[in-house]
Amino acid sequence: MWSRTGCTFVLEKKVAIVVGAANGIGRATALAFAAAGAAVTCADVEEAGARTTAAEIDRGGAEALPIHLDVTEGASCRAAVAATVERFGGLDVLLYGAADSDPSASRLTRLECRVRPLRDGNLGLLAVYDGFFSAGRLALGELSAAVIELATELRARYWFSTPDAIHLATAIEGGADVVLTGDATLRRCREVTVEVLES
């Protein structure tokens, strides 16, 4: 489950594997990572879809490697990592975007993601973000009274910024299992598991 994606992130000279890149959230994430400068391995059990996503990344000027990956087979996972390292020289980010859980984000996350491409006039990146947030399985958490109350408590307890407290509160109120973020300071939160993505 998503709470915060760190949408002003830059992934220049980084290498990412996105599992589930054939469609949905995984596809949108692969496109967003490529737009941020990463070389992306588009991995999926649905190999034709992975090739389609990789081809779109290639057309946009970034590097992509489509690969068949069955996450239930250890050999398939090891082969995907080995192929990525062989092609791109390393691995910095691994994102599991396959559809075995329901991802979500706060509406504040959508706002933050759209500001920079709007300011820069980057309509391509804006379209990627809009595609991500309109993907069918992504739930957008509302800024309800309960979220604001919990955000206030988290801000007081951990000295988080207001946006960070709102991101976390939205995830907690929405029943998130894990929050993905690029901000290691959010690990202080004890009310939900926080995973820090390297960027």
Side-chain angles (χ1 to χ4, degrees), residues 100-177:
D100 66 347
S101 62
D102 292 328
S104 68
S106 74
R107 289 200 180 272
L108 181 60
T109 302
R110 182 178 183 275
L111 179 154
E112 288 183 340
C113 287
R114 298 182 84 245
V115 168
R116 184 172 179 181
L118 280 169
R119 182 184 301 133
D120 296 345
N122 188 341
L123 299 182
L125 183 57
L126 183 65
V128 170
Y129 287 142
D130 286 347
F132 175 83
F133 285 103
S134 64
R137 295 183 60 251
L138 180 68
L140 286 178
E142 300 299 337
L143 299 182
S144 66
V147 166
I148 297 301
E149 183 62 30
L150 179 56
T152 304
E153 293 170 16
L154 293 174
R155 182 159 157 64
R157 187 174 305 136
Y158 298 110
W159 292 85
F160 291 142
S161 68
T162 296
D164 286 344
I166 290 173
H167 289 304
L168 289 165
T170 302
I172 294 164
E173 282 293 311
D177 299 315

Side-chain angles (χ1 to χ4, degrees), residues 17-111:
I17 295 177
V18 177
V19 181
N23 48 57
I25 298 297
R27 181 178 188 283
T29 301
L31 295 172
F33 280 10
V40 182
T41 292
C42 300
D44 205 295
V45 69
E46 189 183 313
E47 193 170 355
R51 283 196 305 270
T52 299
T53 302
E56 184 167 345
I57 289 170
D58 287 337
R59 283 192 301 274
E63 291 186 88
L65 171 67
I67 195 160
H68 176 268
L69 172 61
D70 183 343
V71 297
T72 67
E73 297 178 1
S76 182
C77 295
R78 288 188 294 276
V81 171
T84 299
V85 172
E86 181 179 339
R87 169 77 180 272
F88 299 122
L91 176 62
D92 302 293
V93 179
L94 172 63
L95 186 123
Y96 186 80
D100 66 347
S101 62
D102 292 328
S104 68
S106 74
R107 289 200 180 272
L108 181 60
T109 302
R110 182 178 183 275
L111 179 154

